[in-house]
Amino acid sequence: MARQLAWHETLELHELMALQANCLMHLKKSVKKVTDPELNDLYVSSIRSIEKNLKELVPFVKRAPSPRMDLMRQDETGFFAGNLLGAAKTSVKSYAAAITETATPELKAIFTKHLNNSIKWHTRVFEYMHRKGLYPAYDLHKLLENDTNNVQKALSMKY
């Protein structure tokens, strides 16, 4: 068993932890508003599943190249910005994939325009987060520290 994670898998770990922590926070904030019992059960089971995923991922942070851990951020700006960044990133990926499946030139042109708009959206959100210290993209240790803090916050939230 490798003692240290490789850089590329550490970055994938970061992406998954960040996305799932934000998703978990969103689900926990929303579940009380879901009135349909069956859908509410789906929310609760999704919450439990994501909590399990995050608990299984967190220990791998210790195997990343020299991670540091600090206290959780109380301000929710990072949550909202991260949620927006995840949406923008998903939009970029979705339009890029859709373009590869599109044969109709007019639709492909629209998808391409939307892809370019999504890239601009992602850039604006990323630059905001980077400028505010919410996404330290060039500091892997701080990035993983933020992920771990978000995971702990998401896991500790009541629903």
Side-chain angles (χ1 to χ4, degrees):
M1 178 169 71
R3 294 186 314 161
Q4 180 175 316
L5 297 178
W7 286 98
H8 66 282
E9 64 188 347
T10 302
L11 294 173
E12 292 298 331
L13 176 66
H14 147 69
E15 292 288 342
L16 287 167
M17 287 174 58
L19 176 68
Q20 289 190 21
N22 275 321
C23 182
L24 182 58
M25 286 184 231
H26 180 71
L27 289 171
K28 285 183 173 183
K29 288 175 184 257
S30 303
V31 69
K32 292 175 189 149
K33 299 175 186 172
V34 178
T35 57
D36 180 272
E38 186 176 357
L39 182 57
N40 189 278
D41 287 346
L42 284 170
Y43 264 70
V44 170
S45 98
S46 297
I47 288 168
R48 290 181 182 145
S49 177
I50 294 171
E51 284 179 336
K52 184 178 183 289
N53 291 351
L54 288 170
K55 287 175 183 175
E56 290 174 352
L57 292 175
V58 167
F60 286 95
V61 171
K62 294 176 193 161
R63 293 174 53 191
S66 305
R68 296 182 321 232
M69 311 275 257
D70 282 334
L71 299 174
M72 288 188 278
R73 179 187 316 260
Q74 295 300 315
D75 180 8
E76 289 192 338
T77 302
F79 162 72
F80 293 116
N83 203 32
L84 195 58
L85 186 68
K89 186 181 289 191
T90 300
S91 180
V92 169
K93 290 177 180 181
S94 297
Y95 276 111
I99 288 168
T100 67
E101 300 295 331
T102 305
T104 304
E106 300 87 0
L107 184 57
K108 186 175 272 193
I110 295 293
F111 283 172
T112 301
K113 180 175 86 172
H114 290 189
L115 171 62
N116 288 327
N117 290 338
S118 294
I119 292 168
K120 289 174 189 171
W121 175 29
H122 179 271
T123 300
R124 287 183 59 214
V125 176
F126 168 78
E127 287 173 350
Y128 166 83
M129 291 183 74
H130 185 67
R131 188 174 62 254
K132 298 282 187 172
L134 300 170
Y135 198 126
Y138 301 102
D139 184 342
L140 180 62
H141 306 298
K142 186 69 176 164
L143 201 60
L144 291 171
E145 177 182 309
N146 288 352
D147 292 342
T148 302
N149 291 340
N150 279 336
V151 166
Q152 293 305 325
K153 184 176 182 179
L155 289 171
S156 69
M157 284 176 68
K158 303 292 181 210
Y159 62 96

